[in-house]
Amino acid sequence: KAGVTQTPRYLIKTRGQQVTLSCSPISGHRSVSWYQQTPGQGLQFLFEYFSETQRNKGNFPGRFSGRQFSNSRSEMNVSTLELGDSALYLCASRRLLSVNEQFFGPGTRLTVL
Amino acid sequence: GENVEQHPSTLSVQEGDSAVIKCTYSDSASNYFPWYKQELGKGPQLIIDIRSNVGEKKDQRIAVTLNKTAKHFSLHITETQPEDSAVYFCAATNDNYGQNFVFGPGTRLSVLP
């Protein structure tokens, strides 16, 4: 079974631009969560989607948004990029909200110049 | 909300020795505690987990122990090998819908040959 895939793997943007990252969960998994990983803050929860609905949201500004499609694939968008948004963005999937085992993708490395 | 602390932040051991990483959590409602291993350039990989109704779980060279009263859990790696070198993260969550995972800051383990 294929794992969680994320595209693109690397992105370079400049301040003020916006970016869209994509995540395809493991087949049969309906929940997708997004995390931001930085050396200073560690792994921080952004949001979780299940059945195309946002179920939970972390403490991030409204510039960070996401959505989930009917095939469970998810995208996250960051508008008006800031230097501090440079990070590894990780997507994780789990089969159901009631199933705790969560599996991560390889991440998208975003660099904001 | 939940807060997870993790110690030590770095750990160096000789190949063949044991390594122990400890985490504490604050929310007594947390009942699921996974451990992830993250190698350079990859996303975190689930290596073992434990639920609050179990005190210890073992999988080959890896074991996790949980003390609910003290609200701490530990990862034990025996007979360490160079390929065990990575960053290890603990996390905590509970089964209630809408509860996200809270991660510890990570421990960089180096296994010296």
Side-chain angles (χ1 to χ4, degrees):
Chain A
K1 185 184 275 190
V4 178
T5 58
Q6 293 187 244
T7 57
R9 292 294 311 278
Y10 303 92
L11 263 179
I12 299 176
K13 292 285 187 179
T14 56
R15 278 182 300 173
Q17 288 187 310
Q18 74 166 18
V19 67
T20 299
L21 313 180
S22 180
C23 171
S24 292
I26 292 171
S27 177
H29 285 201
R30 295 170 59 191
S31 162
V32 173
S33 296
W34 288 91
Y35 294 85
Q36 181 194 67
Q37 186 176 31
T38 59
Q41 299 297 318
L43 269 161
Q44 291 190 291
F45 173 77
L46 280 157
F47 27 67
E48 180 172 25
Y49 285 86
F50 181 82
S51 293
E52 302 176 64
T53 301
Q54 187 181 91
R55 297 292 175 161
N56 199 7
K57 189 178 191 301
N59 189 26
F60 278 82
R63 300 184 297 107
F64 292 81
S65 62
R67 59 177 175 168
Q68 187 180 32
F69 302 94
S70 58
N71 63 357
S72 296
R73 190 178 69 84
S74 176
E75 290 181 346
M76 69 162 280
N77 185 77
V78 188
S79 61
T80 320
L81 284 166
E82 301 177 0
L83 295 179
D85 296 334
S86 294
L88 181 68
Y89 289 89
L90 292 160
C91 163
S93 75
R94 50 179 171 160
R95 190 164 53 87
L96 299 169
L97 290 178
S98 57
V99 176
N100 283 324
E101 289 82 1
Q102 181 175 228
F103 300 89
F104 283 86
T108 294
R109 172 74 63 185
L110 172 64
T111 302
V112 182
L113 302 176
Chain B
E2 176 65 276
N3 182 54
V4 177
E5 297 183 353
Q6 184 173 346
H7 298 279
S9 57
T10 60
L11 178 60
S12 292
V13 299
Q14 289 294 135
E15 182 177 357
D17 287 350
S18 296
V20 180
I21 303 170
K22 298 180 179 180
C23 288
T24 60
Y25 61 99
S26 61
D27 188 351
S28 56
S30 289
N31 59 7
Y32 176 70
F33 308 93
W35 285 90
Y36 289 87
K37 173 185 181 182
Q38 187 174 24
E39 298 174 277
L40 198 62
K42 297 183 179 180
Q45 175 192 5
L46 178 66
I47 57 172
I48 196 168
D49 56 14
I50 192 167
R51 300 178 194 280
S52 59
N53 58 349
V54 174
E56 182 174 359
K57 184 177 179 180
K58 192 173 181 180
D59 183 4
Q60 299 183 335
R61 296 186 297 109
I62 295 173
V64 57
T65 58
L66 171 65
N67 183 326
K68 283 192 298 182
T69 303
K71 288 191 280 189
H72 66 72
F73 56 111
S74 299
L75 177 71
H76 305 253
I77 306 174
T78 59
E79 301 173 14
T80 53
Q81 300 166 3
E83 51 265 38
D84 294 329
S85 296
V87 179
Y88 291 81
F89 294 95
C90 62
T93 190
N94 66 53
D95 286 336
N96 293 331
Y97 284 21
Q99 295 301 309
N100 55 282
F101 289 71
V102 177
F103 285 81
T107 295
R108 182 172 298 279
L109 173 65
S110 299
V111 180
L112 309 174

